[in-house]
Amino acid sequence: MQPPLTFAQAKPPATTSVDDFFRHDRYAGLALSPDGQFIAALAPVNGRRNVAVLDLKAGSVAVITSLRERDVRTVRWINNERLVFDLIDLQSGLGEQRPSGLFAINRDGKEARELVAASVASPGSAKFVYRPTLLLSALPDSSDILVMATDRTVESFDVYRMDTYTGRKTLVTFDNPGFVYGWLLDSKRQPRLAIAGIEGTTRTAIHYRASAEGPWIKLAEFDGLSNEGFDPLAFGPDDTLYVASRAGSDKAAIYTYDLKANRLGERQIAHKDYDFGYGNRPLGGDLTDLLSNRNFNLIFDSKKKKLVGARQYAEREEFFWFDEEWSRLHAMVNGALPQRTNRLTRSTDSASILVYSYSDRDPGRWYLLDAEKRSLQELVARRPWIDVQQMAQKTPIRYKARDGIEIPAYLTLPPGRDKQLPLVLIVHGGPFVRGEFWGWDREAQFLASRGYAVLQVDYRGSLGYGWNHHRLGRRQWGLAMQDDLTDGVNHLVAQGIADKSRVAIMGGSYGGYATMMGLAKDPDLYRCGINIVGVTDLALMGTATWSDMSVESKEFQIWFAQHVGDPAKERDKLDAASPARLADRIRRPVLIAHGYNDVRVPIEHAHRMRAALDRAGMRDVEWVVYPDEAHGILREKNASDLYSRIERFLAKHMA
């Protein structure tokens, strides 16, 4: 097979700089055309991520977009000639970088069309109304697509059929049941199931109709914050509905759903230690991806018209196959690329298979598999400047918390060293998400390259490990959730891995909160702390009207009372777990970094923390505010600046 690509592969440098760790991916989003003859890829052009199309037969590459102000976020084939894509600004620093607009173009760069104009957010505006148009599906033998949009009301998504050459939309869901935030399509691309909220509550309603013309029937209603109900994932090619449900047990499994009897059907697959669905997927995407692509766990074969497998994030990504051919192909690739996670995507109308392969030491790269010739051709790498041989291994571990529950975590050690190491505890944000996964992690790798052991903990409250693990984190900010972190550090000290006199804590958002709380609650455990866009005053978090998680939302009030505490009734409890009110206990150096335009955790949190430390006589505080950032330090130049500061800060205080 002739080499299908001509992308230049950068030779990794002898040493890895701060910039190398915190640059954006060079290549991303490779996708096979339905006939398997072309690959669409996101590649760097004009300093931005643009769309390139690779002709596999000719071995040529054509760049078909030339954006200079924004980046292409995702690109998808809708037939062998036409693609659709949306945009994001990877250099904007606007916190939650929301995808925007929708565009179509032919693979030769002709017939470009703006289908939905890209929206612009005002920096720091908590009241910005996000009205996306989300791609649901291409339509077979057509250049039309189905999209979700909030054109009629911002409170509910409708489904529209859209002509990608003219941009004209036709409303499909005239009889929308209301407050819909997710739709599932059947095998004929008809919207058959609607997932809706119930205004002013945290309850979810599942609506179904038996045909495109039939009435909507409410199948179920349940509290979305409880262990009830089910999470609809997808209709299969034979219109079998697949859902995730705990069915009264601790771990969520995948079931079929009997629509006639309105009950769970047969259990298809389960994992003894991890949930299927229910937040057990990486946060590399966003809400947009979750709304328009709910079947992340399921693998369908459009040619065989059946469910052929499932993927699951356990200690590392695992695959379960129901089809002998897919199992054989995956085993073939795993044999050629061992000690890695390998995802397979087959084109609709050919035998071409695209392989995405990654590991804890490799950020990821793509290959083209010719199953008949048993050949595997490397295409491009996400970050070709990273030398895999210099990277550290990321190992899953578990340890016992003081109350006996088992806490999952990942440990990254500098290559060749495993005893009496300076330790950095990184605390994930959320906090009620799964925060840690096996794979290449830029923060952990950066710190390991500088000689630090790195511990990343999915403390109680984190999703993906069963209902009990999640439930035990509710209303435990600063309490048992914090103790889980302390117990993880002590576990590594007891094993001789960590030097108990050289431990730092750092994190963003909730992780920034846990950093400050750790310095206040366990002042003798940590040498220093790094707080990035962290919450510092729980009462402020629960009452602020200028946050995008506003107290003006009844749903937020319910969530906050259940997960953190009730500001109206439990002010003393919240104050006792607020670092800004415990500054007199903090004796160790701290670095505080915040984005000026943050509307998730407004900068007032950082100002209150700094003022409280000043009043307490704490002078060893480093302070940096990025005027063009929000909830997260996302611009490349700012990330490089921040982690250069972190490198110097740790070297000074962990020696």
Side-chain angles (χ1 to χ4, degrees):
M1 183 170 59
Q2 295 297 315
L5 306 181
T6 58
F7 279 125
Q9 297 293 298
K11 183 179 180 180
T15 59
T16 309
S17 69
V18 176
D19 290 350
D20 290 329
F21 285 105
F22 297 99
R23 290 162 60 189
H24 297 312
D25 294 344
R26 177 167 296 175
Y27 302 110
L30 270 67
L32 269 171
S33 61
D35 62 8
Q37 298 301 304
F38 300 88
I39 291 178
L42 305 184
V45 180
N46 301 327
R48 291 291 188 169
R49 188 179 285 172
N50 277 275
V51 180
V53 173
L54 299 80
D55 184 328
L56 296 177
K57 185 176 293 185
S60 61
V61 180
V63 177
I64 63 172
T65 65
S66 56
L67 300 171
R68 294 179 181 274
E69 301 299 326
R70 295 200 183 193
D71 303 273
V72 177
R73 186 186 73 102
T74 60
V75 60
R76 285 177 59 178
W77 294 91
I78 58 173
N79 55 43
N80 290 318
E81 292 291 330
R82 199 146 176 83
L83 304 104
V84 292
F85 61 92
D86 61 0
L87 304 181
I88 198 166
D89 188 350
L90 294 175
Q91 297 292 342
S92 68
L94 287 177
E96 306 83 4
Q97 292 176 334
R98 295 182 172 100
S100 180
L102 196 64
F103 305 82
I105 193 169
N106 286 350
R107 71 166 191 252
D108 61 3
K110 298 179 181 179
E111 298 289 347
R113 178 78 190 193
E114 180 185 75
L115 304 175
V116 179
S119 58
V120 178
S122 299
S125 172
K127 304 306 180 187
F128 170 65
V129 177
Y130 178 42
R131 303 186 67 173
T133 298
L134 314 176
L135 178 63
L136 266 176
S137 176
L139 291 172
D141 304 316
S142 171
S143 59
D144 289 1
I145 57 176
L146 291 177
V147 299
M148 289 168 51
T150 56
D151 290 7
R152 291 201 293 177
T153 170
V154 297
E155 298 167 333
S156 187
F157 281 97
D158 276 306
V159 177
Y160 293 83
R161 180 171 181 144
M162 176 179 282
D163 184 321
T164 64
Y165 283 101
T166 68
R168 294 192 185 97
K169 284 191 300 187
T170 304
L171 180 63
V172 175
T173 52
F174 294 97
D175 51 350
N176 186 321
F179 294 96
V180 176
Y181 62 85
W183 292 94
L184 296 188
L185 307 175
D186 66 11
S187 62
K188 297 180 177 62
R189 307 299 195 271
Q190 295 292 330
R192 294 274 301 283
L193 190 138
I195 306 153
I198 297 176
E199 187 178 14
T201 75
T202 57
R203 300 186 66 78
T204 295
I206 308 296
H207 303 274
Y208 167 75
R209 61 182 179 187
S211 68
E213 297 77 26
W216 288 105
I217 299 170
K218 185 161 69 173
L219 293 179
E221 179 184 321
F222 46 85
D223 188 346
L225 300 183
S226 73
N227 195 25
E228 305 170 1
F230 57 92
D231 185 18
L233 300 177
F235 284 102
D238 60 355
D239 286 334
T240 297
L241 176 61
Y242 295 92
V243 304
S245 177
R246 294 193 175 95
S249 63
D250 187 54
K251 306 293 190 303
I254 293 178
Y255 293 81
T256 58
Y257 196 87
D258 188 331
L259 290 163
K260 291 183 178 179
N262 193 15
R263 60 177 174 80
L264 287 178
E266 295 183 1
R267 190 172 72 174
Q268 302 297 297
I269 192 165
H271 197 291
K272 67 182 181 66
D273 295 320
Y274 297 86
D275 288 317
F276 275 93
Y278 287 94
N280 196 4
R281 60 178 294 178
L283 294 174
D286 60 14
L287 180 62
T288 303
D289 297 315
L290 180 62
L291 296 179
S292 59
N293 182 24
R294 302 183 61 84
N295 63 333
F296 179 79
N297 292 105
L298 305 177
I299 303 171
F300 295 104
D301 188 316
S302 58
K303 295 177 70 174
K304 296 186 176 186
K305 299 187 183 303
K306 68 175 185 177
L307 178 70
V308 294
R311 67 166 57 92
Q312 164 72 331
Y313 280 100
E315 286 187 345
R316 55 186 288 177
E317 192 173 354
E318 298 178 2
F319 294 85
F320 304 86
W321 298 108
F322 312 130
D323 180 87
E324 183 177 347
E325 180 192 12
W326 277 89
S327 179
R328 176 178 56 80
L329 288 171
H330 199 231
M332 181 192 306
V333 173
N334 288 343
L337 302 172
Q339 308 302 315
R340 304 172 65 86
T341 292
N342 301 302
R343 297 180 190 163
L344 279 58
T345 304
R346 181 151 61 182
S347 64
T348 305
D349 302 322
S350 80
S352 298
I353 296 173
L354 188 65
V355 178
Y356 175 64
S357 180
Y358 71 91
S359 74
D360 52 344
R361 302 174 68 191
D362 188 337
R365 57 194 68 228
W366 285 267
Y367 298 82
L368 192 65
L369 170 66
D370 186 323
E372 293 182 0
K373 295 181 180 179
R374 298 180 64 86
S375 65
L376 198 62
Q377 178 73 43
E378 182 174 347
L379 304 177
V380 294
R382 282 177 56 194
R383 295 171 177 243
W385 56 85
I386 292 294
D387 185 349
V388 173
Q389 300 304 316
Q390 292 186 31
M391 298 296 107
Q393 290 186 329
K394 186 175 184 178
T395 304
I397 64 170
R398 295 204 174 215
Y399 61 88
K400 294 285 188 180
R402 63 192 66 185
D403 61 357
I405 77 164
E406 193 173 63
I407 304 297
Y410 288 89
L411 177 64
T412 304
L413 300 177
R417 301 173 59 192
D418 62 1
K419 295 297 182 184
Q420 293 300 309
L421 294 166
L423 173 69
V424 179
L425 169 64
I426 300 179
V427 187
H428 73 72
F432 302 106
V433 299
R434 178 166 176 182
E436 309 303 344
F437 296 85
W438 187 82
W440 190 86
D441 182 294
R442 64 180 193 169
E443 278 190 317
Q445 291 291 346
F446 165 66
L447 292 168
S449 74
R450 271 54 180 171
Y452 300 100
V454 180
L455 178 65
Q456 295 167 283
V457 178
D458 266 330
Y459 44 80
R460 71 189 70 201
S462 302
L463 286 174
Y465 301 92
W467 175 251
N468 191 56
H469 189 80
H470 171 66
R471 177 187 64 83
L472 288 174
R474 291 187 175 181
R475 299 169 60 80
Q476 292 299 311
W477 286 50
L479 302 172
M481 291 168 74
Q482 195 72 38
D483 292 339
D484 290 346
L485 304 174
T486 304
D487 295 343
V489 172
N490 289 333
H491 170 74
L492 296 185
V493 169
Q495 288 194 324
I497 295 172
D499 178 350
K500 67 179 181 180
S501 67
R502 293 186 295 163
V503 180
I505 182 170
M506 68 177 284
S509 196
Y510 173 84
Y513 164 84
T515 293
M516 301 310 303
M517 198 63 201
L519 296 176
K521 188 173 183 179
D522 298 295
D524 296 325
L525 182 64
Y526 303 108
R527 287 279 291 273
C528 58
I530 300 160
N531 163 15
I532 305 170
V533 299
V535 173
T536 66
D537 190 320
L538 296 185
L540 175 64
M541 180 185 176
T543 59
T545 59
W546 62 92
S547 166
D548 68 349
M549 297 176 64
S550 173
V551 70
E552 295 174 355
S553 162
K554 180 65 175 176
E555 295 87 345
F556 173 73
Q557 292 180 40
I558 296 171
W559 177 90
F560 194 85
Q562 287 195 25
H563 286 78
V564 186
D566 189 332
K569 300 177 181 178
E570 300 175 291
R571 182 59 182 263
D572 290 345
K573 167 186 167 63
L574 297 180
D575 286 351
S578 293
R581 300 177 184 279
L582 304 173
D584 58 336
R585 302 183 188 179
I586 296 175
R587 305 193 300 267
R588 301 296 192 180
V590 60
L591 188 161
I592 299 175
H594 219 97
Y596 182 79
N597 297 317
D598 196 340
V599 296
R600 176 58 53 84
V601 179
I603 196 171
E604 177 68 13
H605 284 272
H607 285 306
R608 290 191 181 190
M609 189 74 248
R610 186 186 190 188
L613 290 170
D614 188 58
R615 288 193 299 271
M618 173 66 174
R619 296 291 179 262
D620 208 345
V621 178
E622 292 192 28
W623 172 266
V624 57
V625 173
Y626 294 97
D628 51 358
E629 296 281 7
H631 195 57
I633 311 306
L634 302 178
R635 287 179 180 262
E636 286 183 336
K637 67 180 181 65
N638 291 339
S640 181
D641 176 80
L642 174 60
Y643 284 91
S644 294
R645 291 171 184 266
I646 288 172
E647 182 175 17
R648 293 191 298 269
F649 179 82
L650 291 174
K652 177 180 178 181
H653 298 294
M654 294 276 279

